[in-house]
Amino acid sequence: MRATGRFPGSRWCPSPNFGARPDGAGITLLVVHNISLPPGQFGGPYIEDFFCNRLDRHAHPYFSEIADMQVSAHALVRRDGTVVQFVSCLDRAWHAGRSCFGNEEECNDFAIGVELEGADDVPYTEHQYQTLAHLTRLTMAAWPAVTPDRITGHSDIAPGRKTDPGPAFHWPYFKNLVRASEKD
């Protein structure tokens, strides 16, 4: 994974919304997000279309508000646990926006962003927790600077601006899955 930046077994759906990481920037953070398009609805092509700049602004009233945004994530974990990857982990995806982790600003420079198909107040699926834990272990193995204390939510690095992954995300359960998989 460290050589290609690709999560094994993921479906590749390249986004044009990425750039090179700044010289000397290491990968030291994993950020958990959520997304659903339209909001609160799951399935369909809209998340992929959004991250690839091909969202039909006429397909839903909400889409006219976001169709011109250029954003991406490294990967999306669907409700059934399947993974779609948009940006190589070696590159800088546009997922965090204005952000700060500790004293480090501009988290996109040094973070990997994983989206869960979901909403702040809708429980995530077991498949998503298992897959996210697996992706986390792969990330930690490839980039050892990503430690358990350097896994965070979008809401934690952009407080007041973002709320995801929201109160429905069970952090203790997820962290236990990551720790349990360390023993395997």
Side-chain angles (χ1 to χ4, degrees), residues 1 21 63 67 77 79 81-82 88 95 101 103 135 145 149 183:
M1 182 173 140
R21 293 186 188 274
F63 296 169
V77 179
R79 302 293 289 177
T82 60
S88 165
H95 60 95
F101 183 81
N103 294 325
L135 297 180
D149 63 328
K183 299 172 187 171

Side-chain angles (χ1 to χ4, degrees), residues 133 137 148 171-172 174-184:
R137 290 298 308 136
W171 282 103
F174 164 65
K175 297 273 181 137
N176 282 337
L177 286 175
V178 172
R179 275 193 295 278
S181 65
E182 288 177 338
K183 299 172 187 171
D184 294 342

Side-chain angles (χ1 to χ4, degrees), residues 47 59 83 87:
I47 297 170
V83 179
V87 175

Side-chain angles (χ1 to χ4, degrees), residues 10-104:
S10 65
R11 183 169 58 79
W12 181 243
C13 182
S15 171
N17 304 327
F18 73 96
R21 293 186 188 274
D23 288 342
I27 296 170
T28 62
L29 184 69
L30 181 103
V31 180
V32 180
H33 302 261
N34 77 32
I35 188 170
S36 57
L37 291 176
Q41 296 181 30
F42 308 130
Y46 301 122
I47 297 170
E48 291 178 32
D49 290 349
F50 181 51
F51 287 157
C52 293
N53 299 342
R54 58 179 189 243
L55 186 64
D56 178 0
R57 69 176 59 252
H58 304 292
H60 187 275
Y62 177 69
F63 296 169
S64 65
E65 297 175 33
I66 64 168
D68 294 328
M69 295 176 71
Q70 294 184 337
V71 296
S72 62
H74 290 94
L76 166 69
V77 179
R78 293 278 191 180
R79 302 293 289 177
D80 65 0
T82 60
V83 179
V84 181
Q85 187 160 357
F86 299 95
V87 175
S88 165
C89 293
L90 302 175
D91 291 317
R92 182 183 186 271
W94 302 344
H95 60 95
R98 290 280 175 232
S99 52
C100 183
F101 183 81
N103 294 325
E104 302 168 276

